[in-house]
Coordinates of all heavy atoms in Angstrom, one line a residue:
V16 N -0.6 182.0 275.4 CA 0.7 181.5 274.8 C 0.4 180.1 274.1 O -0.2 179.2 274.7 CB 1.7 181.3 275.9 CG1 3.0 180.7 275.3 CG2 2.0 182.6 276.5
T17 N 0.8 180.0 272.9 CA 0.7 178.8 272.1 C 2.0 178.1 272.1 O 3.0 178.7 271.8 CB 0.2 179.0 270.7 OG1 -1.1 179.7 270.7 CG2 0.0 177.7 269.9
T18 N 2.0 176.8 272.4 CA 3.2 176.0 272.3 C 3.1 175.0 271.2 O 2.0 174.9 270.6 CB 3.5 175.2 273.6 OG1 2.4 174.3 273.8 CG2 3.5 176.2 274.8
I19 N 4.1 174.2 270.9 CA 4.1 173.2 269.8 C 3.0 172.2 270.1 O 2.3 171.7 269.2 CB 5.5 172.6 269.6 CG1 5.5 171.8 268.3 CG2 5.9 171.7 270.8 CD1 5.5 172.6 267.1
E20 N 2.8 171.9 271.4 CA 1.7 171.0 271.8 C 0.3 171.6 271.4 O -0.6 170.8 271.1 CB 1.7 170.7 273.3 CG 2.9 169.8 273.7 CD 4.2 170.6 273.9 OE1 4.2 171.9 273.8 OE2 5.2 170.0 274.1
G21 N 0.2 172.9 271.4 CA -1.0 173.5 271.0 C -1.4 173.4 269.5 O -2.5 173.6 269.1
L22 N -0.4 172.9 268.8 CA -0.6 172.7 267.3 C -0.7 171.2 267.0 O -0.6 170.8 265.8 CB 0.6 173.3 266.5 CG 0.8 174.8 266.6 CD1 2.0 175.3 265.8 CD2 -0.5 175.6 266.2
A23 N -0.9 170.4 268.0 CA -1.0 169.0 267.8 C -2.0 168.5 266.9 O -1.8 167.6 266.1 CB -1.1 168.2 269.2
N24 N -3.1 169.2 266.8 CA -4.3 168.7 265.9 C -4.6 169.8 264.9 O -5.7 170.1 264.6 CB -5.5 168.4 266.8 CG -5.3 167.3 267.7 OD1 -4.7 166.3 267.3 ND2 -5.6 167.5 269.0
D25 N -3.5 170.4 264.4 CA -3.7 171.5 263.4 C -3.2 171.0 262.0 O -2.0 170.6 261.9 CB -2.8 172.7 263.9 CG -3.0 173.9 263.1 OD1 -2.5 173.9 261.9 OD2 -3.6 174.8 263.5
S26 N -4.0 171.1 261.0 CA -3.6 170.6 259.7 C -2.5 171.3 259.1 O -1.7 170.7 258.4 CB -4.9 170.6 258.8 OG -5.3 171.9 258.6
K27 N -2.4 172.7 259.3 CA -1.3 173.4 258.7 C 0.0 173.0 259.4 O 1.0 172.8 258.7 CB -1.5 174.9 258.9 CG -2.3 175.6 257.9 CD -2.3 177.1 258.1 CE -3.1 177.7 256.9 NZ -3.1 179.1 257.0
A28 N 0.0 172.8 260.7 CA 1.2 172.4 261.4 C 1.5 170.9 261.0 O 2.7 170.6 260.9 CB 1.0 172.5 262.9
D29 N 0.5 170.1 260.8 CA 0.8 168.7 260.3 C 1.5 168.8 259.0 O 2.5 168.0 258.8 CB -0.5 168.0 260.1 CG -1.1 167.5 261.5 OD1 -0.4 167.6 262.5 OD2 -2.3 167.2 261.5
A30 N 1.1 169.7 258.1 CA 1.8 169.8 256.8 C 3.2 170.3 257.0 O 4.1 169.8 256.3 CB 1.0 170.8 255.9
L31 N 3.4 171.2 257.9 CA 4.8 171.7 258.2 C 5.6 170.5 258.7 O 6.8 170.3 258.3 CB 4.8 172.8 259.2 CG 4.4 174.2 258.6 CD1 4.2 175.2 259.7 CD2 5.5 174.7 257.7
R32 N 5.1 169.8 259.7 CA 5.9 168.7 260.2 C 6.3 167.7 259.2 O 7.4 167.2 259.1 CB 5.1 168.0 261.4 CG 5.1 168.8 262.7 CD 4.4 168.0 263.8 NE 3.0 168.1 263.7 CZ 2.2 169.0 264.3 NH1 2.8 169.9 265.1 NH2 0.9 169.1 264.2
A33 N 5.3 167.3 258.3 CA 5.6 166.4 257.2 C 6.6 166.9 256.3 O 7.5 166.2 255.8 CB 4.3 166.0 256.5
A34 N 6.5 168.2 255.9 CA 7.5 168.8 255.0 C 8.9 168.9 255.6 O 9.9 168.7 254.9 CB 7.0 170.2 254.6
F35 N 9.0 169.2 256.9 CA 10.3 169.2 257.6 C 10.9 167.8 257.5 O 12.1 167.7 257.2 CB 10.2 169.6 259.1 CG 10.3 171.1 259.3 CD1 9.5 172.0 258.7 CD2 11.3 171.5 260.1 CE1 9.6 173.3 258.9 CE2 11.4 172.9 260.4 CZ 10.6 173.8 259.7
V36 N 10.2 166.7 257.6 CA 10.7 165.4 257.5 C 11.1 165.1 256.0 O 12.2 164.6 255.8 CB 9.7 164.3 258.0 CG1 10.2 162.9 257.7 CG2 9.5 164.5 259.5
E37 N 10.2 165.4 255.1 CA 10.4 165.2 253.7 C 11.7 165.9 253.2 O 12.4 165.3 252.4 CB 9.2 165.6 252.9 CG 8.0 164.7 253.0 CD 6.8 165.3 252.2 OE1 7.0 166.1 251.4 OE2 5.7 164.9 252.6
H38 N 11.9 167.1 253.7 CA 13.0 167.9 253.2 C 14.3 167.7 254.0 O 15.3 168.4 253.7 CB 12.6 169.4 253.1 CG 11.6 169.7 252.0 ND1 12.0 170.1 250.8 CD2 10.3 169.6 252.0 CE1 10.9 170.2 250.0 NE2 9.9 169.9 250.7
G39 N 14.3 166.9 255.0 CA 15.5 166.7 255.8 C 15.8 167.9 256.7 O 16.9 168.1 257.0
A40 N 14.8 168.6 257.1 CA 14.9 169.8 257.9 C 15.0 169.5 259.4 O 15.1 170.4 260.2 CB 13.8 170.8 257.6
V41 N 14.9 168.2 259.7 CA 15.0 167.8 261.1 C 16.3 167.0 261.2 O 16.3 165.9 260.6 CB 13.8 167.0 261.6 CG1 14.0 166.5 263.0 CG2 12.5 167.8 261.4
Q42 N 17.2 167.5 261.9 CA 18.4 166.7 262.2 C 18.5 166.3 263.6 O 18.0 165.3 264.0 CB 19.6 167.4 261.6 CG 19.6 167.4 260.1 CD 20.8 168.0 259.4 OE1 21.8 168.1 260.0 NE2 20.6 168.4 258.1
C43 N 19.1 167.1 264.5 CA 19.1 166.8 265.9 C 17.7 167.1 266.5 O 17.3 166.5 267.5 CB 20.2 167.6 266.7 SG 19.7 169.3 267.1
G44 N 16.9 168.0 265.9 CA 15.6 168.3 266.3 C 15.5 169.4 267.4 O 14.4 169.7 267.8
F45 N 16.6 169.9 267.9 CA 16.6 170.9 269.0 C 15.8 172.1 268.6 O 15.0 172.6 269.4 CB 18.0 171.2 269.4 CG 18.1 172.1 270.6 CD1 18.0 171.6 271.9 CD2 18.3 173.5 270.4 CE1 18.0 172.4 273.0 CE2 18.4 174.3 271.5 CZ 18.2 173.8 272.8
C46 N 16.0 172.6 267.4 CA 15.4 173.8 266.9 C 14.0 173.6 266.4 O 13.2 174.6 266.1 CB 16.2 174.5 265.9 SG 16.2 173.6 264.3
T47 N 13.6 172.4 266.1 CA 12.4 172.1 265.3 C 11.1 172.6 265.9 O 10.3 173.2 265.1 CB 12.3 170.6 265.0 OG1 13.5 170.1 264.4 CG2 11.2 170.3 264.1
P48 N 10.8 172.5 267.2 CA 9.6 173.1 267.7 C 9.5 174.6 267.4 O 8.5 175.1 267.0 CB 9.6 172.7 269.2 CG 10.5 171.5 269.3 CD 11.5 171.7 268.2
G49 N 10.6 175.3 267.7 CA 10.6 176.7 267.5 C 10.5 177.1 266.0 O 9.8 178.0 265.7
M50 N 11.1 176.3 265.2 CA 11.0 176.6 263.7 C 9.6 176.3 263.2 O 9.0 177.1 262.4 CB 12.0 175.7 262.9 CG 13.4 176.0 263.1 SD 13.7 177.6 262.3 CE 15.6 177.7 262.4
I51 N 8.9 175.3 263.7 CA 7.6 175.0 263.3 C 6.6 176.1 263.8 O 5.8 176.6 263.1 CB 7.1 173.6 263.9 CG1 7.9 172.5 263.3 CG2 5.6 173.4 263.7 CD1 7.6 172.1 261.9
M52 N 6.8 176.5 265.1 CA 6.0 177.6 265.6 C 6.2 178.9 264.8 O 5.2 179.6 264.5 CB 6.4 177.9 267.1 CG 6.1 176.7 268.0 SD 4.3 176.3 268.1 CE 3.6 177.8 268.7
Q53 N 7.4 179.2 264.5 CA 7.7 180.4 263.7 C 7.1 180.3 262.3 O 6.5 181.3 261.8 CB 9.2 180.7 263.7 CG 9.5 182.1 263.0 CD 9.0 183.3 263.8 OE1 8.6 183.2 265.0 NE2 9.0 184.4 263.1
A54 N 7.3 179.2 261.7 CA 6.8 179.0 260.3 C 5.2 179.1 260.3 O 4.6 179.7 259.4 CB 7.2 177.6 259.8
D55 N 4.6 178.5 261.3 CA 3.2 178.6 261.5 C 2.7 180.0 261.6 O 1.8 180.5 260.9 CB 2.7 177.7 262.7 CG 1.2 177.7 262.8 OD1 0.6 177.0 262.0 OD2 0.7 178.4 263.7
H56 N 3.4 180.8 262.4 CA 3.1 182.2 262.6 C 3.3 182.9 261.3 O 2.4 183.7 260.9 CB 4.0 182.8 263.7 CG 4.0 184.3 263.8 ND1 3.0 184.9 264.4 CD2 4.8 185.2 263.3 CE1 3.1 186.2 264.3 NE2 4.3 186.4 263.6
L57 N 4.4 182.7 260.6 CA 4.6 183.4 259.3 C 3.5 183.0 258.3 O 3.0 183.9 257.6 CB 6.0 183.0 258.7 CG 7.2 183.4 259.5 CD1 8.4 182.8 258.9 CD2 7.3 184.9 259.5
M58 N 3.1 181.8 258.2 CA 2.1 181.4 257.3 C 0.8 182.0 257.6 O 0.0 182.4 256.7 CB 2.0 179.9 257.2 CG 3.2 179.2 256.5 SD 3.3 177.5 256.5 CE 1.6 177.0 256.1
R59 N 0.4 182.0 258.9 CA -0.9 182.6 259.3 C -1.0 184.1 259.1 O -2.0 184.7 259.0 CB -1.2 182.3 260.8 CG -1.5 180.8 261.0 CD -1.8 180.5 262.5 NE -1.7 179.1 262.7 CZ -2.7 178.2 262.4 NH1 -3.8 178.7 261.9 NH2 -2.6 176.9 262.7
N60 N 0.2 184.7 259.0 CA 0.3 186.2 258.8 C 0.7 186.5 257.4 O 1.0 187.7 257.1 CB 1.2 186.8 259.8 CG 0.5 186.7 261.2 OD1 -0.4 187.4 261.5 ND2 1.0 185.8 262.0
G61 N 0.7 185.6 256.5 CA 1.0 185.9 255.1 C 2.4 186.4 254.8 O 2.6 187.2 253.9
C62 N 3.3 185.9 255.6 CA 4.7 186.4 255.5 C 5.6 185.4 254.8 O 6.8 185.4 255.1 CB 5.2 186.7 256.9 SG 4.2 187.9 257.8
C63 N 5.1 184.6 253.9 CA 6.0 183.5 253.3 C 5.9 183.7 251.8 O 5.8 182.7 251.1 CB 5.5 182.1 253.7 SG 5.8 181.8 255.4
G64 N 5.9 184.9 251.2 CA 5.7 185.0 249.8 C 6.8 184.6 249.0 O 6.6 184.2 247.8
D65 N 8.0 184.6 249.5 CA 9.2 184.1 248.8 C 10.2 183.6 249.8 O 10.1 183.8 251.0 CB 9.8 185.1 247.9 CG 10.1 186.4 248.6 OD1 10.6 186.4 249.7 OD2 9.8 187.5 248.1
T66 N 11.3 183.0 249.3 CA 12.3 182.5 250.2 C 13.0 183.6 251.0 O 13.4 183.3 252.2 CB 13.3 181.6 249.5 OG1 13.9 182.4 248.5 CG2 12.7 180.3 248.9
G67 N 13.1 184.7 250.5 CA 13.7 185.9 251.2 C 12.9 186.2 252.4 O 13.4 186.4 253.5
S68 N 11.6 186.3 252.3 CA 10.7 186.6 253.4 C 10.7 185.5 254.4 O 10.7 185.7 255.7 CB 9.3 186.9 253.0 OG 8.7 185.8 252.3
I69 N 10.9 184.2 254.0 CA 11.0 183.1 254.9 C 12.3 183.2 255.7 O 12.3 183.0 256.9 CB 10.9 181.7 254.2 CG1 9.5 181.6 253.6 CG2 11.2 180.6 255.1 CD1 9.3 180.4 252.6
K70 N 13.4 183.5 255.0 CA 14.7 183.6 255.7 C 14.6 184.7 256.7 O 15.1 184.5 257.9 CB 15.8 183.9 254.7 CG 16.1 182.7 253.8 CD 17.1 183.0 252.8 CE 17.4 181.9 251.8 NZ 18.3 182.2 250.7
R71 N 14.0 185.9 256.4 CA 13.9 187.0 257.3 C 13.0 186.6 258.5 O 13.3 186.9 259.6 CB 13.4 188.2 256.7 CG 14.4 188.9 255.8 CD 13.9 190.3 255.3 NE 12.8 190.2 254.5 CZ 12.8 189.9 253.2 NH1 13.9 189.6 252.6 NH2 11.7 189.8 252.5
G72 N 12.0 185.8 258.2 CA 11.0 185.4 259.2 C 11.6 184.5 260.3 O 11.2 184.5 261.4
I73 N 12.6 183.6 259.9 CA 13.1 182.7 260.8 C 14.5 183.1 261.4 O 15.1 182.3 262.1 CB 13.2 181.2 260.2 CG1 14.2 181.2 259.0 CG2 11.9 180.7 259.8 CD1 14.6 179.8 258.6
E74 N 14.9 184.3 261.0 CA 16.3 184.7 261.4 C 16.5 184.7 262.9 O 17.7 184.6 263.3 CB 16.7 186.0 260.7 CG 15.9 187.2 261.3 CD 16.3 188.5 260.5 OE1 17.1 188.4 259.5 OE2 15.8 189.6 260.9
G75 N 15.5 184.8 263.7 CA 15.7 184.8 265.1 C 15.7 183.4 265.7 O 16.0 183.2 266.9
N76 N 15.5 182.4 264.9 CA 15.6 181.0 265.3 C 16.9 180.4 264.9 O 17.2 180.4 263.7 CB 14.4 180.2 264.7 CG 13.1 180.7 265.3 OD1 12.7 181.8 265.0 ND2 12.4 179.8 266.0
L77 N 17.7 179.9 265.8 CA 19.0 179.4 265.5 C 18.9 177.8 265.3 O 18.3 177.1 266.0 CB 20.0 179.7 266.6 CG 20.1 181.2 266.8 CD1 21.1 181.4 268.0 CD2 20.5 182.0 265.6
C78 N 19.6 177.4 264.2 CA 19.8 176.0 264.0 C 21.3 175.7 263.8 O 21.9 176.3 262.9 CB 19.0 175.6 262.7 SG 19.2 173.8 262.3
R79 N 21.8 174.8 264.5 CA 23.2 174.5 264.4 C 23.5 173.3 263.4 O 24.7 173.0 263.2 CB 23.8 174.2 265.7 CG 23.2 172.9 266.3 CD 23.8 172.7 267.7 NE 23.1 171.4 268.2 CZ 23.3 171.0 269.4 NH1 24.1 171.6 270.3 NH2 22.7 169.9 269.8
C80 N 22.5 172.7 262.8 CA 22.7 171.5 262.1 C 22.4 171.7 260.6 O 23.1 171.1 259.8 CB 21.7 170.4 262.6 SG 21.9 170.0 264.3
T81 N 21.3 172.3 260.2 CA 20.9 172.2 258.8 C 21.4 173.2 257.8 O 21.3 172.9 256.6 CB 19.3 172.3 258.8 OG1 19.0 173.7 259.1 CG2 18.6 171.3 259.7
G82 N 22.0 174.3 258.3 CA 22.4 175.3 257.3 C 21.2 176.1 256.8 O 21.3 176.9 255.9
Y83 N 20.0 175.9 257.3 CA 18.8 176.6 257.1 C 18.1 176.3 255.7 O 16.9 176.5 255.6 CB 19.0 178.1 257.2 CG 19.4 178.5 258.6 CD1 20.7 178.7 258.9 CD2 18.4 178.6 259.7 CE1 21.1 179.0 260.2 CE2 18.8 178.9 260.9 CZ 20.2 179.1 261.2 OH 20.6 179.4 262.5
K84 N 18.9 175.9 254.7 CA 18.3 175.7 253.4 C 17.1 174.7 253.4 O 16.1 174.9 252.8 CB 19.3 175.3 252.4 CG 18.7 175.1 251.0 CD 19.7 174.8 249.9 CE 19.1 174.7 248.5 NZ 17.7 174.5 248.3
K85 N 17.3 173.6 254.1 CA 16.3 172.5 254.2 C 15.1 173.0 254.9 O 13.9 172.7 254.5 CB 16.9 171.3 254.8 CG 18.0 170.6 254.0 CD 18.6 169.5 254.7 CE 19.7 168.9 253.9 NZ 20.3 167.7 254.5
I86 N 15.3 173.9 255.9 CA 14.1 174.4 256.7 C 13.4 175.4 255.8 O 12.1 175.3 255.7 CB 14.6 175.1 257.9 CG1 15.2 174.1 258.9 CG2 13.5 176.0 258.6 CD1 15.9 174.6 260.1
V87 N 14.1 176.3 255.1 CA 13.4 177.2 254.2 C 12.7 176.5 253.1 O 11.6 176.8 252.7 CB 14.5 178.2 253.6 CG1 13.9 179.0 252.5 CG2 15.1 179.1 254.7
D88 N 13.3 175.4 252.5 CA 12.6 174.6 251.5 C 11.4 174.0 252.0 O 10.3 173.9 251.3 CB 13.6 173.5 251.0 CG 14.7 174.1 250.1 OD1 14.7 175.3 249.7 OD2 15.7 173.3 249.9
A89 N 11.4 173.5 253.2 CA 10.2 172.9 253.8 C 9.1 173.9 254.0 O 7.9 173.6 253.7 CB 10.6 172.2 255.2
I90 N 9.4 175.0 254.5 CA 8.4 176.1 254.7 C 7.9 176.5 253.4 O 6.6 176.7 253.2 CB 9.0 177.2 255.5 CG1 9.4 176.8 256.9 CG2 7.9 178.4 255.6 CD1 10.2 177.8 257.7
A91 N 8.8 176.7 252.4 CA 8.3 177.2 251.1 C 7.4 176.1 250.4 O 6.4 176.5 249.8 CB 9.5 177.4 250.2
A92 N 7.7 174.9 250.6 CA 6.8 173.8 250.0 C 5.4 173.9 250.6 O 4.4 173.7 249.8 CB 7.4 172.4 250.3
V93 N 5.3 174.2 251.9 CA 3.9 174.2 252.5 C 3.2 175.6 252.2 O 2.0 175.6 251.9 CB 4.0 174.0 254.0 CG1 2.6 174.1 254.6 CG2 4.6 172.6 254.3
S94 N 4.0 176.6 252.2 CA 3.4 177.9 252.0 C 3.1 178.3 250.5 O 2.4 179.2 250.2 CB 4.3 179.0 252.6 OG 5.5 179.2 251.8
G95 N 3.7 177.5 249.6 CA 3.6 177.7 248.2 C 4.5 178.8 247.6 O 4.4 179.2 246.5
A96 N 5.5 179.2 248.4 CA 6.5 180.1 248.0 C 7.4 179.5 247.0 O 7.8 178.3 247.1 CB 7.3 180.7 249.1
P97 N 7.7 180.2 245.9 CA 8.7 179.6 245.0 C 10.0 179.4 245.6 O 10.5 180.3 246.4 CB 8.8 180.7 243.8 CG 8.2 181.9 244.4 CD 7.3 181.5 245.6
S98 N 10.7 178.3 245.4 CA 12.0 178.0 246.1 C 13.1 178.1 245.1 O 12.9 178.3 243.9 CB 12.0 176.7 246.8 OG 11.6 175.7 245.9
Ligands
FES106 FE1 19.7 170.6 265.1 FE2 18.3 172.5 264.0 S1 18.2 170.4 263.5 S2 19.6 172.6 265.7

């Protein structure tokens, strides 16, 4: 089982963390570890080809703060998906 701590020294996860901050995708932060883990999984499995696939990929992760757009934008920025 990999946890967010398991990605502490991971360059892809570092890029995701930075993008979440840059795009304002971290508000209360409650969902952020799960979102980073899911985004990392999606990117490692080539499932971030466009914003639709990112939205489908994170649909099981709930965020009560951001409205998801900022999270999708952050993941798209790192994965190279057109936003
Ligand atoms: Fe608050 Fe997602 S940032 S639940």
Side-chain angles (χ1 to χ4, degrees):
V16 174
T17 303
T18 65
I19 193 72
E20 289 81 7
L22 299 179
N24 298 313
D25 183 289
S26 61
K27 278 189 176 179
D29 287 344
L31 280 169
R32 284 186 278 269
F35 270 57
V36 171
E37 287 174 19
H38 289 267
V41 178
Q42 292 185 19
C43 80
F45 185 81
C46 72
T47 305
M50 287 292 186
I51 297 283
M52 294 298 297
Q53 186 65 14
D55 183 74
H56 170 78
L57 294 172
M58 288 175 43
R59 290 182 194 279
N60 290 285
C62 302
C63 294
D65 54 42
T66 55
S68 61
I69 294 170
K70 289 176 184 175
R71 284 189 297 281
I73 64 169
E74 69 185 5
N76 294 65
L77 302 179
C78 175
R79 64 184 180 184
C80 303
T81 65
Y83 299 96
K84 182 176 183 342
K85 294 174 180 181
I86 292 171
V87 171
D88 288 349
I90 297 169
V93 176
S94 69
S98 56

